[in-house]
Amino acid sequence: MAYTPKSQGFLRGNGDCRNTYFYKKSQVIYDLTFFFAHKYLVPKDRTIDQMIQAARSGKQNFVEGMADGVTSTEMQIKLMNVGKSSLLELREDYEDYLRTRNLTIWDSSHPRYASMVNYCKYHNELSHYQPFFQKWTAEEISNVALTLIHQTDKMMESYLSRLEDFFVKNGGIREAMVKARLNKKMGRSIK
């Protein structure tokens, strides 16, 4: 979400990330992980809670980061990075699952890799994935989750870079507040 100055104010955007692709993908990752953990892991395995919490942390920190970004780019950057880091932790759990069970982590040489990457690239809604939850094997779900995590991570790298550029160019909330106040006194809108 880019900075959008208001005519007399200093608050940025509305703080709602639910329409961003990275949030939508993180929602799919969470629901897919919830299903996976309960179907394929042993009921008392601590990994169930760890995977679900990592997926939840990714999604929830994106929400909180965007909401905090209305007033604090610094806090937004921190929380978005926490969400990104949580998804990378989840990636490790999926990779561990596949490796310890002698299942395949699909790479570009796998016959289904390209179609899976393409599907995940253009399908961001939970409704695109839910019909497959019961049909996919543990290997298929894990590889789809890994692909979604990778794509979300790349989106977050780009998003965090834009936030960094914005902060360097515009400063934080204090600078914006001073500018708004000075402009108000001088009778002009924020530019």
Side-chain angles (χ1 to χ4, degrees):
M1 181 177 287
Y3 175 71
T4 313
K6 298 179 182 176
S7 60
Q8 296 296 319
F10 50 83
L11 298 176
R12 300 176 350 171
N14 68 6
D16 185 3
C17 73
R18 289 176 292 181
N19 291 320
T20 63
Y21 290 137
F22 62 79
Y23 172 80
K24 290 178 180 188
K25 284 188 185 300
S26 72
Q27 185 178 40
V28 174
I29 293 165
Y30 173 78
D31 284 21
L32 189 69
T33 299
F34 189 90
F35 174 81
F36 172 86
H38 286 102
K39 181 168 183 174
Y40 292 107
L41 298 176
V42 178
K44 293 188 180 190
D45 187 341
R46 287 186 52 223
T47 310
I48 294 171
D49 289 337
Q50 291 171 333
M51 288 182 76
I52 292 170
Q53 287 308 311
R56 181 184 182 282
S57 178
K59 182 172 79 69
Q60 299 304 99
N61 277 289
F62 294 160
V63 171
E64 188 176 356
M66 290 295 279
D68 283 0
V70 170
T71 57
S72 174
T73 305
E74 178 185 358
M75 187 57 71
Q76 183 177 13
I77 290 169
K78 287 178 181 177
L79 288 167
M80 295 306 232
N81 194 60
V82 169
K84 179 181 180 305
S85 298
S86 293
L87 292 182
L88 294 179
E89 177 186 341
L90 179 62
R91 179 187 70 191
E92 289 295 311
D93 285 328
Y94 276 111
E95 289 175 349
D96 289 347
Y97 179 90
L98 290 168
R99 187 185 63 256
T100 59
R101 287 155 181 87
N102 293 316
L103 298 172
T104 304
I105 297 175
W106 299 354
D107 61 17
S108 59
S109 66
H110 192 279
R112 292 180 57 195
Y113 178 79
S115 62
M116 174 190 62
V117 169
N118 191 54
Y119 187 87
C120 292
K121 181 177 180 180
Y122 295 106
H123 293 85
N124 300 301
E125 302 289 338
L126 182 58
S127 62
H128 297 144
Y129 296 87
Q130 278 181 318
F132 301 109
F133 283 14
Q134 295 289 345
K135 298 175 185 176
W136 282 334
T137 65
E139 183 176 305
E140 290 169 318
I141 288 176
S142 296
N143 279 287
V144 167
L146 288 170
T147 300
L148 289 167
I149 291 166
H150 175 74
Q151 290 174 350
T152 305
D153 182 56
K154 291 300 176 195
M155 287 179 189
M156 292 313 301
E157 283 180 20
S158 175
Y159 186 78
L160 287 166
S161 178
R162 288 193 312 273
L163 282 176
E164 180 182 0
D165 289 344
F166 171 79
F167 185 78
V168 169
K169 290 176 188 169
N170 299 289
I173 187 73
R174 286 188 175 86
E175 291 95 340
M177 291 170 80
V178 168
K179 184 177 181 180
R181 195 161 174 253
L182 290 173
N183 283 333
K184 180 78 169 174
K185 282 184 176 182
M186 299 176 88
R188 51 180 197 225
S189 63
I190 296 175
K191 300 287 186 223

